[in-house]
């Protein structure tokens, strides 16, 4: 659409995830041609060397773009479409290239970047979708996320979303602590009056870029994790 360079691939990844989930849930054949075209584009634009995605086709990847592509492709695969083995291998390679720490549980924005809680949460969630089981890395990542629970620091629904996805899957006391903090911080911020009722104000990290629709969507996604995904042990 009208998205500019830095937003365009994000928009594609999010749209492909939505279309993939719609097809997986409904089986509506009218959706399939668009899903196939979107999936073909994602596969073609993956960095053939590093295995990630960024702003332009073939760009060396970044973890932020990577998470949306992983979710979209995993959803498409659950819907019955085939993801090439080379594409999966590239995704695993890229994820590991961004990891650091004694157990490789921390993750940065790009290979060699300083680790952050946001990228660590995204990488931990991606490990689950890619079937990359590593309990030691998961534990190191979980401990890192526990150092900045929702409500500590700036309101960042992007970070909270990936943290919620990752920790809900793992369950345990770390998830319980995170979930309590996330609900206590996020729910009171919802608007309850006038034309804006039900929405969240775009005063979060990245909120001014995505606007009210983006901020509300991310908040809703945080609160829908219980209903959309099963914990790991199930």
């Amino acid at each position: 659409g009208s998205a500019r360079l830095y937003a365009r691939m994000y928009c594609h990844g999010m749209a492909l995830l939505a279309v993939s989930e719609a097809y997986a849930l409904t089986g509506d054949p009218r959706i399939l041609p668009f899903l196939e075209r979107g999936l073909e584009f994602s596969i073609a634009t993956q960095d053939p060397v590093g295995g990630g995605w960024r702003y332009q086709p073939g760009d060396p990847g970044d973890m932020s773009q990577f998470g949306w592509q992983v979710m979209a492709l995993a959803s498409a695969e659950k819907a019955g479409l085939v993801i090439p083995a080379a594409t999966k291998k590239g995704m695993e390679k890229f994820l590991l290239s961004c990891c650091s720490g004694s157990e490789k549980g921390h993750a940065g924005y790009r290979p060699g970047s300083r680790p952050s809680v946001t990228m660590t949460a995204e990488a931990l969630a991606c490990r689950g979708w890619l079937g990359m089981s590593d309990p030691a890395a998961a534990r190191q990542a979980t401990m890192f996320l526990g150092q900045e629970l929702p409500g500590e620091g700036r309101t960042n629904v992007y970070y909270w979303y990936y943290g919620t996805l990752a920790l809900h899957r793992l369950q345990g006391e770390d998830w319980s602590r995170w979930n309590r903090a996330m609900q206590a911080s996020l729910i009171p911020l919802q608007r309850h009056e006038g034309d804006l009722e039900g929405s969240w104000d775009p005063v979060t990290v990245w909120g001014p870029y995505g606007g009210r629709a983006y901020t509300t969507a991310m908040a809703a996604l945080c609160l829908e994790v219980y209903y959309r995904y099963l914990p790991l042990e199930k």
Side-chain angles (χ1 to χ4, degrees):
S2 60
R4 298 181 179 180
L5 172 64
Y6 297 113
R8 194 173 298 145
M9 193 64 81
Y10 282 109
C11 293
H12 166 68
M14 294 176 189
L16 182 59
L17 173 59
V19 173
S20 295
E21 291 205 351
Y23 182 71
L25 287 168
T26 67
D28 188 334
R30 294 172 295 179
I31 299 174
L32 184 58
F34 302 100
L35 174 54
E36 290 175 331
R37 285 169 57 190
L39 184 61
E40 181 181 355
F41 180 77
S42 277
I43 292 169
T45 54
Q46 184 184 30
D47 171 19
V49 177
W53 286 265
R54 205 161 193 234
Y55 304 128
Q56 300 274 34
D59 277 354
D62 68 61
M63 181 59 68
S64 185
Q65 294 278 5
F66 182 73
W68 297 102
Q69 295 294 332
V70 170
M71 279 196 289
L73 269 61
S75 181
E77 188 170 44
K78 284 184 171 61
L81 283 79
V82 176
I83 309 301
T87 303
K88 293 181 181 180
K89 185 176 181 180
M91 289 192 287
E92 294 174 3
K93 178 181 179 180
F94 177 77
L95 191 150
L96 292 175
S97 73
C98 291
C99 291
S100 60
S102 59
E103 304 296 342
K104 302 298 182 183
H106 300 162
Y109 178 60
R110 304 188 75 186
S113 297
R114 180 178 60 84
S116 70
V117 289
T118 303
M119 296 298 98
T120 297
E122 193 158 344
L124 181 57
C126 287
R127 283 180 183 271
W129 290 308
L130 294 173
M132 299 171 65
S133 178
D134 187 334
R139 182 59 190 159
Q140 186 174 49
T142 299
M143 292 176 64
F144 191 36
L145 302 187
Q147 296 175 20
E148 189 177 322
L149 296 174
E152 301 171 357
R154 294 180 63 190
T155 300
N156 186 346
V157 290
Y158 187 101
Y159 166 48
W160 297 0
Y161 175 51
Y162 276 108
T164 301
L165 283 172
L167 295 176
H168 174 261
R169 181 174 179 273
L170 296 175
Q171 294 290 293
E173 179 55 32
D174 293 305
W175 158 245
S176 297
R177 288 178 59 239
W178 176 278
N179 187 40
R180 287 192 298 268
M182 186 269 291
Q183 290 198 22
S185 300
L186 186 59
I187 292 174
L189 297 178
Q190 188 180 31
R191 297 290 293 268
H192 293 288
E193 73 289 323
D195 294 338
L196 302 179
E197 182 178 7
S199 71
W200 273 261
D201 293 335
V203 292
T204 66
V205 177
W206 306 116
Y209 291 89
R212 185 171 299 275
Y214 159 81
T215 305
T216 301
M218 294 299 292
L221 286 168
C222 287
L223 297 170
E224 290 173 2
V225 165
Y226 324 106
Y227 315 111
R228 297 173 67 240
Y229 296 101
L230 290 173
L232 180 62
E233 62 265 24
K234 296 182 179 179

